[in-house]
Amino acid sequence: MDQNTVLEIRDARHPSPWRPGDAWLGGGTYLFSEPQPHLRRLVDLSRTGWTPVRLLADGSTEIAATCTVAQLSRFAKGLTAAAAPLFEQCCRAFLASFKIWNMATVGGNLCNALPAGPMISLTASLDGECLLLAQDGARRRVRVADFVTGAGRKVLAEGELLRSVTLPSGALARRTAFRQASLYGLGRSGALVIGTRDPVDGSFAVTVTAATVRPVRLWFPLPPAAGALRAAVDAAVADDEWYDDIHGLPQWRRHMTLRFAEEIRQELEGTAR
């Protein structure tokens, strides 16, 4: 879609004072999907040259905000780690064309903060941490689970940039289980639940997305009993935090979440045994 209010596109490599009507431009799949009448200037990140995905010296994994879905998928295909299949499962949860895969970015998916954002699901479930850069050069780090605060809401300040998401050392070694439900065969996720099991200490975590307005991550030192897990989900998600739109009623989303959480608990507990 043409954005006829945009007067200028600026290269992000050349700093300039942030002003009203500015927006960061990553892949542009959202910015150009619907009218953005408030925009006057786009700050283009496409030529920053950031490495899409890299393994750091401390064993952690850094995913640049400009990493595309296609690049992340290719990276995961070269992994032999236990969590490798989860990357492809979340990439496929986009149900997007090859054009979107090659343009849509991890950072854009997080910053849109949509409940069904599968890059939110992936990085929140693996304890991802966002690196945020302010206009004055200040840096801060925020857990992905805390970065998104509601449907379309995130903790970014005006002009602040999501630079990357870092997955901690050991995250890729976890066993994972993935469940997703949509009302339609090729529909947006109505409930997406991911479970992880740490092979070192046996800890168990469940991350709920798509069904809720924000990512909800529950951690247990060991897999809980079925009743305890159900109670923990209900305690963590307030009644008004179950998402409600044409892709699913709150009651159905809660039902599918609880069902998937229990399936995942059984699967990962059985894997450990």
Side-chain angles (χ1 to χ4, degrees), residues 120 123-125 127-130 142-149 207 214-217:
I120 300 172
T123 53
S125 67
D127 284 326
E129 185 178 66
C130 301
V142 179
R143 293 173 63 242
V144 173
D146 299 323
F147 178 76
V148 177
T149 59
T207 303
R214 59 178 178 85
V216 175
R217 190 172 188 279

Side-chain angles (χ1 to χ4, degrees), residues 123-184:
T123 53
S125 67
L126 294 178
D127 284 326
E129 185 178 66
C130 301
L131 172 60
L132 309 181
L133 307 180
Q135 287 294 303
D136 62 3
R139 298 182 170 215
R140 63 182 177 125
R141 293 186 180 273
V142 179
R143 293 173 63 242
V144 173
D146 299 323
F147 178 76
V148 177
T149 59
R153 301 201 310 269
K154 58 274 185 185
V155 300
L156 281 175
E158 182 67 21
E160 199 169 26
L161 170 67
L162 170 60
R163 166 61 180 85
S164 61
V165 177
T166 301
L167 309 179
S169 173
L172 300 188
R174 297 173 189 167
R175 305 290 301 181
T176 65
F178 175 94
R179 297 290 190 281
Q180 177 197 24
S182 301
L183 284 179
Y184 318 102

Side-chain angles (χ1 to χ4, degrees), residues 26 45 50-52 63-68 105-108 161-165:
L45 298 168
W50 297 336
T51 302
I63 306 171
T66 50
C67 176
T68 65
T105 62
V106 173
L161 170 67
L162 170 60
R163 166 61 180 85
S164 61
V165 177

